[in-house]
Amino acid sequence: MFSPEVVDMEFLIERNPATEWRRFRTARLEALGDAPDSFGRTLADEEEKPDSMWIDRSQDVNVAQFVALRKEDGKCIGIVVGSPISKQDGIAGLFSMWVAPEARGMKVGHALVEKVKDWAIEERIFTKILLDVNDLNVAAIKLYKNCGFIPTGKIGSMPPPREYISEHELCYTIVPEL
């Protein structure tokens, strides 16, 4: 649970280098264990994946894996992925967003989302970023709204075995610089 005594956590956001695939894997598995209803995949599914899959993911130049690291000790306290959904249509996706419980409320999530937005803008081929959010995840909905994402009107459900949980799609439109 979030510790109210922590009021000023210093952290940095960096693109996770391919050599640090284990760090991303560890954080991803921690995220799935902490918030299973926030992700399309399950902890059991991801734990079964071979190391080669995690290495391949980390080496994909089209995918940007970002980590939030606590400055004090380098502990990974958050992750997010930016990835093309359709380069042809200029659509990127924001996936695997997670902040460790002890870092929630410290602007880590906001910094991670902004990093994906920066990545999408720097790629110069995207006009929007899409994401799906669990309708019950009020904190995430508020975060995305504060970062400029708006509902598209598309509503779906989580994949099995959590198809009873509804989610909706949000969009951030990238405005080209003049």
Side-chain angles (χ1 to χ4, degrees):
M1 191 72 187
F2 168 71
S3 171
E5 293 80 32
V6 179
V7 293
D8 187 26
M9 180 182 294
E10 291 191 13
F11 61 91
L12 60 95
I13 308 292
E14 68 177 35
R15 190 162 181 170
N16 199 54
T19 56
E20 292 288 341
W21 64 269
R22 285 181 186 90
R23 173 174 67 188
F24 197 88
R25 178 187 186 274
T26 298
R28 172 74 171 153
L29 296 178
E30 186 177 345
L32 291 165
D34 172 57
D37 291 338
S38 296
F39 303 100
R41 304 239 171 132
T42 66
L43 178 59
D45 291 340
E46 295 286 273
E47 283 178 325
E48 291 178 5
K49 304 286 185 199
D51 288 352
S52 59
M53 188 280 305
W54 294 96
I55 293 167
D56 290 347
R57 274 188 189 173
S58 70
Q59 292 176 343
D60 186 339
V61 296
N62 294 306
V63 176
Q65 295 180 339
F66 295 101
V67 292
L69 304 172
R70 192 166 48 207
K71 283 186 179 181
E72 176 185 347
D73 57 8
K75 181 183 188 284
C76 184
I77 55 171
I79 59 171
V80 70
V81 174
S83 180
I85 292 176
S86 171
K87 282 187 176 181
Q88 178 181 336
D89 296 325
I91 303 170
L94 187 150
F95 303 100
S96 301
M97 175 68 184
W98 174 76
V99 175
E102 71 270 19
R104 292 178 186 155
M106 303 293 170
K107 304 292 183 195
V108 174
H110 188 272
L112 285 165
V113 172
E114 290 300 319
K115 202 64 157 176
V116 170
K117 287 167 55 177
D118 291 346
W119 162 80
I121 291 166
E122 289 167 9
E123 289 291 306
R124 298 189 185 277
I125 59 171
F126 300 115
T127 58
K128 59 184 160 181
I129 304 168
L130 298 177
L131 63 86
D132 292 319
V133 63
N134 175 331
D135 289 344
L136 301 176
N137 193 338
V138 177
I141 293 167
K142 181 179 177 184
L143 166 67
Y144 297 135
K145 181 180 178 183
N146 288 340
C147 290
F149 285 79
I150 59 171
T152 66
K154 184 177 176 185
I155 298 171
S157 62
M158 297 288 289
R162 298 169 317 280
E163 55 275 325
Y164 60 90
I165 299 172
S166 63
E167 61 183 4
H168 63 275
E169 184 180 73
L170 301 178
C171 178
Y172 175 80
T173 301
I174 297 171
V175 179
E177 292 183 16
L178 301 176

